[in-house]
Amino acid sequence: MNDFTLDDLRGVLNQAAGEDGSFTFGDADAGLTYAELGYDSLVLLEVAAVISATWGVQVPDEAVDVSATPRGTVELVRGKRVAVPA
């Protein structure tokens, strides 16, 4: 099972935001909130849906709230993927 990475999350964010992939944030920015990175709550709800459909992890709304961080979302998804029996 592959780990869910910041690169995976960047792809999901760009897909959900309808962007061409030109918007990225560096690893150092992963501790900033989604609001600080310019994402709104509608995009983040789509992010949760894509993660659920693609990686089979139910992401609670508060995990992708505008006050959450990309790093926190990656850690949550990784933790839930490890906890699920294969």
Side-chain angles (χ1 to χ4, degrees):
M1 168 175 16
N2 294 333
D3 280 339
F4 184 78
T5 67
L6 277 173
D7 285 336
D8 294 324
L9 181 59
R10 285 182 191 102
V12 172
L13 283 163
N14 281 319
Q15 176 185 345
E19 298 184 22
D20 62 5
S22 60
F23 177 81
T24 60
F25 56 88
D27 290 353
D29 299 326
L32 297 174
T33 67
Y34 287 112
E36 291 169 322
L37 292 169
Y39 290 103
D40 65 28
S41 59
L42 292 177
V43 168
L44 298 176
L45 289 173
E46 178 66 17
V47 166
V50 170
I51 290 172
S52 176
T54 306
W55 283 275
V57 173
Q58 292 300 112
V59 179
D61 291 346
E62 62 271 10
V64 288
D65 183 83
V66 292
S67 63
T69 66
R71 183 173 293 121
T73 301
V74 168
E75 290 171 1
L76 175 102
V77 172
R78 284 181 179 170
K80 286 187 175 256
R81 290 191 79 211
V82 169
V84 175

